[in-house]
Amino acid sequence: MKVAHLSDLHFGKMLHNFSLIEDQKYIISQIQNILIEQKVQIVMICGDIYDKNIASVEAIHLFEDFLQFLVDNNIQILIISGNHDSQDRLTFGRAFMKKSGIHFSKCFDGSVSSVTLNDEFGPLNFYLLPFIKPIDVRHIYPDEEINSYEAAVKCVLKNIKLNLQERNVILCHQNILNAEHCDSEDVVIGSLDAIASSVFSNFDYTALGHIHKPQFIGQDNKIRFCGTPLKYSISEMDDEKSVTVINFLEKGKTDFEFIPLKPLREIRRITGKFEDIINNVKNIRC
């Protein structure tokens, strides 16, 4: 089964007071072509669909158009909310959207919603864990000692009844220890929000959002940040953005492809004296 891993779309993003909505429309069109060319059957979107809790009208329309495209092409959609999203607003209509193959994570209530899809190798179980903080978990499990982000995630995961004989995938939006960061991300001082990758050891694949640089965590290619589809800071100038496509085969076997994305406009760093840059601004092409 071919599955695309996306995250951190940040629809409605501004970069230095410049709207990126045109650039986002361009890159989404490119992603759509890739999904069709690759014959992708499922798309996972791992949080931060919008850049702000209260999204702009343009951002909402762009996401709506993307979902409509996926539905029209019979692609199943799995979506979790990130720290930039409002869980209540994002998951509006989740109950009846299931009929169209759109599966949102529910507002966090202590349990994790799941979706099971089948192929020639049997069940493929997806667990949809939205972004959580310790305070979200502490009041649900008052008898547990939850004093960190890692403890919160551990507590939630241990209450999932996994069938370890089947293939299990979790969608998650959290910071992970030793991940490589970008300037466009929200920073928690001292990385107090970071959790150990070992908490996901029982899953065949952990589809992560939150960190904007594409990267595997660990050596076994089971835990991955797919990164943003666009560059959202100068620090990402040399990064290559891509669509992660995973082919889930029998238990314990996955193949990966990373399809490069070409932006409408590239980020450039221009250095020099202020007056020289201003005087030559007409000769600078973006």
Side-chain angles (χ1 to χ4, degrees):
M1 188 177 291
K2 275 200 170 183
V3 181
H5 176 189
L6 303 173
S7 77
D8 296 271
L9 305 176
H10 286 277
F11 289 147
K13 175 80 174 175
M14 303 283 288
L15 181 60
H16 300 298
N17 296 319
F18 180 83
S19 172
L20 295 179
I21 199 74
E22 185 181 358
D23 302 73
Q24 291 174 330
K25 288 178 181 178
Y26 181 87
I27 213 70
I28 287 297
S29 177
Q30 202 172 134
I31 290 170
Q32 291 174 175
N33 290 335
I34 290 170
L35 297 176
I36 299 303
E37 290 167 5
Q38 292 290 316
K39 298 181 179 178
V40 165
Q41 296 154 281
I42 304 169
V43 170
M44 303 182 293
I45 308 178
C46 299
D48 283 358
I49 285 81
Y50 298 119
D51 193 55
K52 297 187 181 301
N53 284 170
I54 301 177
S56 67
V57 172
E58 283 183 310
I60 293 169
H61 286 167
L62 179 53
F63 186 43
E64 181 184 33
D65 290 344
F66 186 37
L67 290 180
Q68 187 65 61
F69 170 85
L70 297 175
V71 170
D72 289 345
N73 285 277
N74 298 312
I75 298 173
Q76 296 281 318
I77 311 140
L78 309 171
I79 306 165
I80 63 171
S81 56
N83 57 302
H84 279 248
D85 300 312
S86 163
Q87 287 190 22
D88 294 301
R89 291 185 176 90
L90 183 65
T91 60
F92 169 80
R94 67 180 290 272
F96 59 78
M97 286 191 189
K98 285 182 182 179
K99 297 175 182 177
S100 298
I102 304 171
H103 307 277
F104 282 96
S105 59
K106 60 184 175 180
C107 290
F108 183 71
D109 61 1
S111 63
V112 179
S113 55
S114 64
V115 177
T116 297
L117 300 169
N118 292 277
D119 63 10
E120 64 269 34
F121 302 107
L124 184 55
N125 306 309
F126 296 89
Y127 294 88
L128 281 56
L129 177 63
F131 175 74
I132 55 172
K133 298 179 180 180
I135 194 172
D136 300 323
V137 183
R138 199 177 290 131
H139 76 279
I140 296 171
Y141 298 100
D143 296 331
E144 298 279 353
E145 186 177 347
I146 300 171
N147 51 17
S148 67
Y149 279 77
E150 182 172 317
V153 173
K154 271 185 177 180
C155 176
V156 174
L157 294 186
K158 79 177 183 179
N159 285 283
I160 297 176
K161 295 180 179 179
L162 288 180
N163 183 342
L164 297 180
Q165 303 306 309
E166 297 179 350
R167 298 167 296 166
N168 298 297
V169 178
I170 186 164
L171 285 66
C172 184
H173 191 95
Q174 303 287 158
N175 186 14
I176 305 294
L177 286 170
N178 302 319
E180 191 175 345
H181 292 258
C182 303
D183 291 346
S184 57
E185 299 157 11
D186 291 342
V187 176
V188 174
I189 295 173
S191 295
L192 296 177
D193 62 336
I195 63 179
S197 59
S198 58
V199 303
F200 302 108
S201 60
N202 286 334
F203 291 92
D204 296 277
Y205 183 71
T206 300
L208 291 167
H210 193 49
I211 304 303
H212 291 183
K213 185 179 181 66
Q215 59 195 285
F216 280 107
I217 303 295
Q219 301 299 315
D220 56 5
N221 291 356
K222 289 174 61 177
I223 302 173
R224 180 170 173 80
F225 289 104
C226 64
T228 55
L230 284 172
K231 300 170 185 180
Y232 289 142
S233 69
I234 299 297
S235 68
E236 298 163 69
M237 185 176 68
D238 296 324
D239 290 352
E240 182 174 66
K241 303 298 185 177
S242 62
V243 175
T244 297
V245 177
I246 314 118
N247 192 11
F248 288 98
L249 303 170
E250 61 266 28
K251 174 82 174 178
K253 186 175 180 182
T254 51
D255 292 334
F256 291 91
E257 277 193 77
F258 310 107
I259 317 298
L261 291 168
K262 184 175 177 58
L264 178 63
R265 288 175 276 248
E266 276 288 4
I267 286 179
R268 294 176 58 195
R269 180 184 286 113
I270 300 168
T271 59
K273 292 183 178 180
F274 180 76
E275 59 184 26
D276 292 338
I277 293 173
I278 293 300
N279 290 336
N280 289 284
V281 69
K282 292 182 180 179
N283 297 322
I284 297 173
R285 288 188 176 183
C286 296

